[in-house]
Amino acid sequence: MSFLAKTFSQVIARAGTTTALLSKPRYPTSLTYRLASRQSSPQSDNKEQKKYEYLLVDIKGKNSNVALVQLNRPKALNALCDNKEQKKYEYLLVDIKGKNSNVALVQLNRPKALNALCDGLMRELSTVLQTIDKDDKIGCIVLTGSTRAFAAGADIREMQNNTLAQVVGAGFLDQWSAVAKIKKPIIAAVNGFALGGGCELSMMCDIIYAGEEAEFGQPEIILGTIPGAGGTQRLPRYVGKSKAMEMVLTGNRIKAKEAHQIGLVSAVYPANQLIDEAVKTAEKIASHSRIVVQLAKEAVNTAFETTLAEGNRFEKRIFHTTFGLDDRKEGMTAFVEKRKPNFTGQ
Ligand code: CO8
């Protein structure tokens, strides 16, 4: 064990009378070791041991009130890596893209089930997106799946035997709404199937790009149920009542070209260029003021939640608000001085 790592472990081990938990880096490029105080039972401590890729965590002391955190990357002499390895997510691949490393690429990775959105996947996705949302280095997110499927819907096998009491009682799939609450822009890069919850997930994003072979649909009616994550609400707002009704009532799928024609997606690319194109757009968005991008996203989304008059009033207030920002001053000054703006997010 390296000197630094050893010292680190000893410090953690001396964490005192409260149990200390050393949490793992949340996603690839950050080296974010955090200490968090936590009460935990011996039973849950055993579970913790399996959760860390590079650490062993144990509870010590007569009163079980000391956490022993051991760095455990022996082959690399416990080098404090920035964890480029991507295996720590069960259902996702996460990577950082862009010339300025300011775009997060999140890929759904459950290929055998065509990225069916099981509970675990959606929990992981919500957590990862919320973590990225708080990362100052990232200005835009690209969400994608595989060439064959963005996502073929909620996991039918998981839902098959659920009862009404179970789904209501457990708030079944409540965590899905977390995606629509992310403040940073998300571009859905859709190749293959985007069906049911997959189509709804893409509509929770801010921009949808499609590969030429992409197919969108709300086939829940075929399964004896209806869309549950925005299919009956977002879809008519985006494509109009008649088309939304047709898709929801027949379960028919539409191809990328038609999805483009009706305004569900804003551009169609050859499948193998889709992610690059999405990242290019994401980089452009990320080059603008972070705070102003966030405000702009909120303003556009408000158009779907309110009347025109209220929406316009909200927009005007947000517009006025930008005059309290350094970035608004910098953007206009840069234009006048014929140079590129240097935004600070303030
Ligand atoms: N759930 C679970 N497993 C799935 C799903 C799914 N949604 N879709 C595909 N799979 C699995 C298949 O079972 C199969 O697994 P296995 O090999 O073990 O049998 C594997 O993926 C490959 O699928 P297929 O063999 O069927 O592949 P095909 O190329 O023949 O067909 C299709 C591809 C057309 C995508 C077909 O799989 C299909 O129709 N899938 C179901 C699509 C669907 O109905 N989606 C809607 C689900 S319901 C829903 O999304 C409600 C959302 C509510 C959200 C509420 C949030 C609060």
Side-chain angles (χ1 to χ4, degrees), residues 103-114:
V103 173
L105 175 66
V106 179
Q107 186 174 4
L108 308 178
N109 186 36
R110 202 188 168 210
K112 284 189 189 151
L114 301 183

Side-chain angles (χ1 to χ4, degrees), residues 112-114 116 148 152-157 173 197 219-220 223 228 253:
K112 284 189 189 151
L114 301 183
R148 195 160 167 229
D155 191 316
I156 299 168
R157 287 170 202 272
L173 302 180
E220 288 89 343
L223 301 170
R253 308 200 287 256

Side-chain angles (χ1 to χ4, degrees), residues 306-317:
T306 190
T307 64
L308 181 61
E310 280 170 14
N312 278 332
R313 195 161 42 240
F314 180 76
E315 180 196 69
K316 190 62 58 64
R317 285 290 167 252

Side-chain angles (χ1 to χ4, degrees), residues 110-118 122 148-149 151-159 171-177 193-200 204 215 217-223 225-231 253:
R110 202 188 168 210
K112 284 189 189 151
L114 301 183
N115 289 334
L117 303 165
C118 60
M122 287 309 293
R148 195 160 167 229
D155 191 316
I156 299 168
R157 287 170 202 272
E158 200 174 68
M159 291 186 289
F172 182 57
L173 302 180
D174 273 356
Q175 74 281 3
W176 281 51
S177 53
F193 299 111
L195 303 179
C199 186
E200 291 168 311
M204 286 179 206
E215 287 187 31
Q218 297 291 162
E220 288 89 343
I221 199 87
I222 300 165
L223 301 170
T225 185
I226 71 164
R253 308 200 287 256

